[in-house]
Amino acid sequence: MSSLIAQTRFSVLDRSRTREGRTNAEALRDTVGLAQELEGLGYRRLWVSEHHGVPGVAGSAPTVLAAAVAAATRTIRVGTGGVMLPNHRPLVVAEQFGVLESLFPGRVDMGLGRSVGFTDGVRRALGRDKEAAEDFAGQLDELLGWFRGTSPTGVHARPAEGLTVPPFVLAMGEGADIAARAGLPMVIGDLRNREKMLRGIDRYRAGFRPSPWAAEPYVVVSGTIAVAATPEEARRLLVPEAWSMAYSRTHGTFPPLPPAERVEALTMTAKERGFYEAGLAGHVAGTEEQVTDELETVLKETGAQEVLVTTSTYDRAALVDSYRRLSRIFGG
């Protein structure tokens, strides 16, 4: 095993993707079950996501789902990837994480993003507009202030005040600069656009200011990783998500994940085929040997301390097998 890989933490973001013919409830229970599998395989953390009004994603309330995951596990860290701060009042977010940390001390992470709803309709329903993301740095500062008890309002966040819940910033665009100025660990993706990722990491490290939360830069790189017995099987793991992305780009809605064999039998338009093939390209996918080589390259280029794997597919047994094979690579 590569010493570079052995020194790196491996974690998972599961987006509770729905599957054709399966319910939202199954998708959420699948996430809880996956966390139990990952705990036994030596993964560092399991994070859940926040999406609103998306047909293909059941995970709309990440702190609620994180509580279910934490209750079903004992040692793996649990958190969010992430709570989209512009959608919420920072006080309420602090209270939610304060409750999680009180119930599951020393196991909770607070991953925070700056996205607002995907569509105008969702943004209206949330009572937000696109500009809500522009004050992410201020919202972040207010949120962390609730934990430190420094709010100028005279209000105290119970039970968050005085607790330490590690914050992470999901960096898209200027997120790297915000994470650096706040002195917080940064999660950056994706592995398919290595050049853009490296620029963000360089900016983050150059601008990093030590804080009570982190004395030095901490980089988590995120993306899809698929490991199987053959390159063909690894590629098939990517097929359902690639088609869902292609469909969303051509039809305007993000559907549940279809089985790979159904996608492979489809007749696609040239536009669909272009998006689909692009969706299959650039991921870290292959046999254990191939993935080991590719991961070594990624870690040398980025100097990342942690990898957050974001793979989604229809076949849950194949997904668990991929995570099992990956755990053999990093020595979980």
Side-chain angles (χ1 to χ4, degrees), residues 3 101 125 128 131 137 143 152 164 184 194 209 290 299 317 329:
S3 61
E101 176 62 24
R128 299 291 186 269
E131 286 66 50
L143 172 62
T164 300
L184 299 181
R194 211 71 58 81
R209 300 176 189 169
Q290 289 170 321
L299 294 172
I329 292 172

Side-chain angles (χ1 to χ4, degrees), residues 1 9-10 12 44 46 49 86 88 100 118 149 170 176 191 207 273 279 290 298 319:
M1 180 177 52
R9 291 167 167 165
F10 281 78
V12 172
R44 172 72 172 173
L46 183 285
S49 61
H88 310 280
L100 281 171
F118 283 143
L170 276 59
L191 293 170
R273 175 71 60 184
Q290 289 170 321
V298 168
L319 180 64

Side-chain angles (χ1 to χ4, degrees), residues 23-137:
T23 64
N24 287 320
E26 282 181 276
L28 295 169
R29 291 191 188 103
D30 283 343
T31 295
V32 176
L34 179 63
Q36 294 171 320
E37 295 271 5
L38 296 172
E39 181 170 72
L41 293 172
Y43 284 84
R44 172 72 172 173
R45 24 183 146 248
L46 183 285
W47 281 2
V48 296
S49 61
E50 176 183 335
H51 295 278
H52 299 284
V54 181
V57 184
S60 56
T63 53
V64 177
L65 183 52
V69 170
T73 53
R74 291 184 305 105
T75 56
I76 195 168
R77 296 191 66 86
V78 179
T80 54
V83 164
M84 295 302 149
L85 204 45
N87 293 338
H88 310 280
R89 294 302 311 164
L91 169 61
V92 175
V93 175
E95 289 170 339
Q96 290 174 345
F97 279 98
V99 168
L100 281 171
E101 176 62 24
S102 299
L103 290 171
F104 308 102
R107 288 180 57 205
V108 176
D109 300 320
M110 186 167 60
L112 305 161
R114 63 190 292 271
S115 297
V116 286
F118 283 143
T119 65
D120 288 340
V122 170
R123 287 191 287 272
R124 280 197 303 275
L126 290 168
R128 299 291 186 269
D129 54 34
K130 282 184 177 177
E131 286 66 50
E134 290 174 9
D135 190 34
F136 179 63

Side-chain angles (χ1 to χ4, degrees), residues 13-278:
L13 168 66
D14 191 74
R15 287 177 292 142
S16 306
R17 292 286 274 112
T18 56
R19 296 180 286 160
E20 279 187 2
R22 307 295 179 94
T23 64
N24 287 320
E26 282 181 276
L28 295 169
R29 291 191 188 103
D30 283 343
T31 295
V32 176
L34 179 63
Q36 294 171 320
E37 295 271 5
L38 296 172
E39 181 170 72
L41 293 172
Y43 284 84
R44 172 72 172 173
R45 24 183 146 248
L46 183 285
W47 281 2
V48 296
S49 61
E50 176 183 335
H51 295 278
H52 299 284
V54 181
V57 184
S60 56
T63 53
V64 177
L65 183 52
V69 170
T73 53
R74 291 184 305 105
T75 56
I76 195 168
R77 296 191 66 86
V78 179
T80 54
V83 164
M84 295 302 149
L85 204 45
N87 293 338
H88 310 280
R89 294 302 311 164
L91 169 61
V92 175
V93 175
E95 289 170 339
Q96 290 174 345
F97 279 98
V99 168
L100 281 171
E101 176 62 24
S102 299
L103 290 171
F104 308 102
R107 288 180 57 205
V108 176
D109 300 320
M110 186 167 60
L112 305 161
R114 63 190 292 271
S115 297
V116 286
F118 283 143
T119 65
D120 288 340
V122 170
R123 287 191 287 272
R124 280 197 303 275
L126 290 168
R128 299 291 186 269
D129 54 34
K130 282 184 177 177
E131 286 66 50
E134 290 174 9
D135 190 34
F136 179 63
Q139 295 157 355
L140 187 60
D141 189 55
E142 182 186 338
L143 172 62
L144 299 180
W146 289 115
F147 287 91
R148 295 191 299 260
T150 57
S151 172
T153 62
V155 175
H156 298 274
R158 312 287 189 209
E161 190 173 305
L163 297 180
T164 300
V165 181
F168 295 73
V169 171
L170 276 59
M172 303 289 283
E174 67 188 81
D177 297 323
I178 293 168
R181 285 196 300 272
L184 299 181
M186 176 185 72
V187 183
I188 189 165
D190 72 29
L191 293 170
R192 290 189 298 170
N193 193 340
R194 211 71 58 81
E195 217 168 277
K196 184 180 177 187
M197 177 189 272
L198 291 172
R199 284 199 304 273
I201 291 170
D202 287 345
R203 278 215 321 273
Y204 168 68
R205 289 202 175 106
F208 185 86
R209 300 176 189 169
S211 75
W213 306 98
E216 53 193 32
Y218 188 90
V219 174
V220 184
V221 293
S222 71
T224 295
I225 300 175
V227 198
T230 66
E232 294 74 27
E233 287 176 58
R235 186 180 187 274
R236 292 192 92 230
L237 278 164
L238 307 175
V239 164
E241 184 75 11
W243 171 247
S244 286
M245 292 299 292
Y247 188 92
S248 72
R249 298 289 293 275
T250 51
H251 293 76
T253 182
F254 198 62
L257 294 172
E261 55 270 21
R262 189 174 84 69
V263 177
E264 289 166 342
L266 287 174
T267 302
M268 300 184 196
T269 66
K271 193 173 184 183
E272 287 171 341
R273 175 71 60 184
F275 284 129
Y276 172 66
E277 294 294 346

